[in-house]
């Protein structure tokens, strides 16, 4: 069976990899830069006067179609993804912390962090279109299928680097209560970007002989890619850092109900990733088109979908549609402006009894993933029971994710080393639709 390159390049990442990075360790009682990544106000609760992060890596993948068992067996993964009529949603992303440092001075705390991000996403992709392109005619329910998609289907990839400068202040503290506030300013270094968005798609797929044709079609089409890719979707991770060309900010507050051994309750809320970045390059292309496909003398049955089987990037798709005369340009620009995935986060770490705690955590996105200029994220709700000692910690994160459903994982910390997964438990006992892992090392100095 022939492949759909734009989708298959995403599937290949599943064999090595969720959106909830470092779940469990980032709300640990052993407070460090990972906690400040969730809420900059947590810097005021640093476990050591000086904190250093050496390296942290988190790789996450989630989808709404295939499970962990399907990936391990490797049988007919493509057919399972394209099965049914429910839109395909897939999120694959990596977050890397580089060297970082934080310190406390009286009521103030300061931090600097370095990060790199890479994301690949399918958003609400119609499987009937995928089957037609793939020439999997047996998967198309009728010889004529009418599609009315009143949403934006996207294939999107983004990579960028970040340097964050954090500041926190203890506003009030007595024997029972502690209030903190904090902020992080992020300098953004856009690396690579590509987007294929098909909005308000209406049309008909007709099966004639051994070919699927698209006809009577209207849609709005966005095709964008940064110049360093030259349209090659598969190469977007080769350039993780570009030049400084964007800013963002995080803001947060934190409250602790204290006891003699630390706290009974540690809670906080934050708004993260307020801002965006621009890809500026003479080789960039971001073009909006009106897509209209009708019968012509050259193509009396409409557009033969098999033309796209060997397309590996949006630029090739753009060329095919232009050559067939189906595109009308409505806007074009060499500057690509994108918004970071702004989120609202709330958490509460509750001491049930000595050394045993339960964390309640939620992340809710404030942006619209269907927008062509929006980097995507997920809504997540988690419950994380943990057993915590000074130099050892074990915890289990159980989450309800927007894309993959319910997941359960396990993680641990020994001194400064930590390793975990948000889905390893459900991967072992059920056919979960998420795979992820993270690890890292940090240390503190008094």
């Amino acid at each position: 069976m022939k492949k759909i390159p734009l989708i298959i390049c995403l599937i290949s990442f599943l064999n090595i990899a969720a959106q909830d990075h470092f779940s469990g360790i980032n709300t640990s009682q052993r407070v460090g830069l990972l906690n400040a990544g969730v809420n900059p106000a947590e810097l005021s609760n640093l476990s050591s006067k000086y904190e250093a992060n050496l390296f942290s890596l988190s790789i996450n993948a989630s989808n709404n179609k295939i499970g962990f068992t399907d990936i391990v067996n490797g049988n007919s993964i493509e057919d399972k993804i394209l099965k049914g009529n429910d839109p395909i949603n897939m999120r694959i992303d990596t977050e890397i912390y580089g060297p970082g440092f934080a310190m406390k001075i009286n009521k103030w705390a300061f931090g600097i962090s370095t990060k790199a991000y890479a994301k690949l996403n399918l958003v609400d992709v119609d499987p009937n279109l995928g089957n037609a392109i793939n020439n999997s005619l047996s998967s198309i329910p009728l010889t004529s299928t009418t599609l009315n998609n009143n949403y934006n289907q996207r294939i999107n990839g983004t990579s960028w680097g970040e340097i964050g400068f954090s500041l926190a202040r203890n506003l009030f503290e007595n024997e029972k209560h502690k209030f903190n506030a904090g902020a992080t300013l992020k300098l953004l270094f856009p690396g690579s970007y590509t987007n294929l968005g098909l909005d308000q798609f209406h049309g008909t797929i007709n099966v004639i002989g051994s070919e699927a044709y698209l006809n009577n079609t209207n849609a709005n089409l966005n095709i964008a890619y940064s110049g360093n890719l030259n349209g090659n979707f598969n190469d977007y991770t080769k350039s993780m850092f570009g030049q400084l060309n964007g800013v963002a900010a995080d803001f947060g507050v934190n409250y602790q109900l204290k006891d003699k051994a630390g706290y009974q309750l540690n809670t906080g809320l934050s708004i993260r990733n307020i801002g965006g970045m621009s890809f500026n390059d003479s080789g960039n292309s971001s073009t909006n088109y009106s897509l209209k496909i009708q019968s012509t003398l050259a193509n009396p049955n409409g557009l033969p979908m098999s033309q796209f089987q060997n397309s590996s990037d949006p630029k090739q798709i753009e060329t095919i549609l232009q050559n067939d005369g189906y595109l009308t340009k409505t806007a074009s620009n060499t500057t690509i402006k994108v918004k970071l995935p702004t989120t609202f986060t709330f958490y509460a770490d509750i001491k049930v009894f000595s050394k045993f705690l339960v964390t309640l955590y939620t992340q809710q996105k404030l942006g619209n993933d269907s927008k062509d200029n929006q980097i995507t994220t997920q809504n997540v709700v988690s419950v994380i029971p943990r057993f915590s000692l000074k130099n050892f910690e074990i915890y289990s994160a159980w989450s309800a994710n927007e894309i993959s459903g319910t997941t359960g994982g396990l993680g641990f910390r020994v001194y400064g080393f930590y390793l975990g997964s948000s889905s390893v438990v459900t991967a072992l006992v059920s056919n979960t639709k998420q795979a992820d892992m993270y690890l890292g090392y940090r240390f503190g100095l008094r």
Side-chain angles (χ1 to χ4, degrees):
M1 182 179 291
K2 295 182 179 179
K3 305 297 184 185
I4 307 172
L6 284 175
I7 295 178
I8 295 304
C9 71
L10 292 177
I11 297 172
S12 64
F13 278 82
L14 290 172
N15 295 302
I16 63 168
Q19 200 77 26
D20 188 13
H21 288 286
F22 303 104
S23 182
I25 193 65
N26 59 7
T27 51
S28 169
Q29 275 191 304
R30 197 291 190 195
V31 177
L33 285 169
L34 288 179
N35 303 68
V38 173
N39 182 352
E42 285 285 354
L43 277 181
S44 290
N45 299 326
L46 281 175
S47 297
S48 303
K49 184 175 182 179
Y50 304 101
E51 169 78 6
N53 185 82
L54 295 186
F55 176 78
S56 303
L57 169 68
S58 177
I59 302 174
N60 300 333
S62 59
N63 77 99
N64 67 333
K65 288 284 187 174
I66 59 174
F68 183 79
T69 304
D70 301 319
I71 298 167
V72 172
N73 293 335
N75 296 324
S76 304
I77 293 178
E78 183 180 343
D79 290 339
K80 291 179 182 295
I81 288 179
L82 297 175
K83 185 178 180 179
N85 293 311
D86 292 336
I88 304 165
N89 281 282
M90 189 180 298
R91 306 288 191 272
I92 303 172
D93 61 280
T94 300
E95 183 174 320
I96 303 170
Y97 273 78
F101 179 78
M103 63 184 297
K104 291 190 298 186
I105 302 176
N106 298 322
K107 292 182 177 293
W108 294 92
F110 308 88
I112 180 170
S113 60
T114 57
K115 295 183 188 179
Y117 298 86
K119 293 176 176 284
L120 284 168
N121 304 290
L122 296 180
V123 182
D124 293 332
V125 174
D126 192 318
N128 292 296
L129 278 176
N131 280 311
I133 294 172
N134 200 41
N135 207 25
S136 181
L137 305 184
S138 61
S139 298
I140 302 175
L142 300 171
T143 55
S144 181
T145 303
T146 299
L147 304 180
N148 291 297
N149 304 137
N150 295 314
Y151 50 83
N152 190 18
Q153 306 176 54
R154 298 179 65 200
I155 300 176
N156 177 268
T158 316
S159 65
W160 75 98
E162 174 186 299
I163 298 177
F165 299 92
S166 300
L167 174 69
R169 165 80 179 184
N170 172 233
L171 302 178
F172 173 82
E173 184 173 10
N174 61 19
E175 292 182 355
K176 284 291 185 180
H177 308 284
K178 183 179 182 181
F179 291 92
N180 306 313
T184 298
L185 174 67
K186 303 177 180 181
L187 305 181
L188 307 178
F189 301 82
S192 301
Y193 182 81
T194 187
N195 186 75
L196 176 65
L198 190 63
D199 189 25
Q200 301 296 312
F201 178 85
H202 304 278
T204 303
I205 298 174
N206 297 312
V207 178
I208 302 173
S210 59
E211 177 68 86
Y213 295 88
L214 191 60
N215 207 351
N216 302 316
T217 296
N218 291 279
N220 300 314
L221 178 65
N222 173 261
I223 296 178
Y225 46 85
S226 54
N228 61 315
L229 295 179
N230 194 26
N232 190 340
F233 188 86
N234 297 311
D235 287 344
Y236 93 106
T237 56
K238 290 184 178 180
S239 178
M240 297 288 288
F241 278 82
Q243 295 181 344
L244 173 63
N245 206 1
V247 294
D250 299 348
F251 300 97
V253 293
N254 166 251
Y255 166 73
Q256 287 188 353
L257 177 62
K258 298 167 60 178
D259 63 15
K260 293 181 179 180
Y263 59 77
Q264 288 286 340
L265 170 68
N266 182 57
T267 185
L269 60 86
S270 63
I271 298 178
R272 296 182 286 160
N273 292 325
I274 304 170
M277 56 190 171
S278 296
F279 293 80
N280 290 330
D281 188 287
S282 59
N284 288 354
S285 176
S286 178
T287 307
N288 293 327
Y289 294 101
S290 174
L291 172 66
K292 295 184 183 296
I293 300 175
Q294 302 292 337
S295 300
T296 64
L297 292 176
N299 294 311
N301 296 318
L303 174 66
M305 300 296 281
S306 60
Q307 290 190 67
F308 299 109
Q309 286 182 349
N310 296 318
S311 300
S312 60
D313 59 67
K315 188 174 183 179
Q316 293 180 2
I317 294 173
E318 183 179 34
T319 300
I320 291 170
L321 293 173
Q322 285 176 330
N323 290 342
D324 287 338
Y326 295 130
L327 293 181
T328 302
K329 185 185 296 185
T330 59
S332 183
N333 207 319
T334 58
T335 298
I336 304 172
K337 297 182 178 180
V338 298
K339 296 179 180 179
L340 261 58
T342 305
T343 58
F344 169 82
T345 300
F346 173 81
Y347 59 90
D349 194 35
I350 305 164
K351 182 180 292 184
V352 180
F353 54 83
S354 179
K355 311 304 180 185
F356 181 76
L357 302 95
V358 175
T359 302
L360 308 177
Y361 176 93
T362 183
Q363 169 185 291
Q364 300 295 312
K365 61 188 175 186
L366 301 181
N368 185 347
D369 285 352
S370 67
K371 300 293 185 182
D372 284 316
N373 66 342
Q374 177 67 61
I375 300 174
T376 65
T377 190
Q378 286 192 59
N379 294 328
V380 180
V381 177
S382 301
V383 178
I384 310 165
R386 72 177 74 244
F387 176 74
S388 182
L389 301 174
K390 180 179 179 181
N391 295 319
F392 174 77
E393 185 173 5
I394 187 168
Y395 47 87
S396 180
W398 292 83
S399 302
N401 297 289
E402 180 182 9
I403 303 299
S404 58
T406 301
T407 62
L410 190 66
F412 70 90
R413 173 183 62 85
V414 178
Y415 289 90
F417 175 78
Y418 48 89
L419 174 68
S421 168
S422 298
S423 60
V424 64
V425 175
T426 44
L428 293 174
V429 301
S430 68
N431 198 21
T432 182
K433 294 180 174 63
Q434 178 169 311
D436 66 273
M437 62 83 67
Y438 62 81
L439 59 86
Y441 183 78
R442 61 191 182 181
F443 63 91
L445 298 172
R446 290 292 180 183

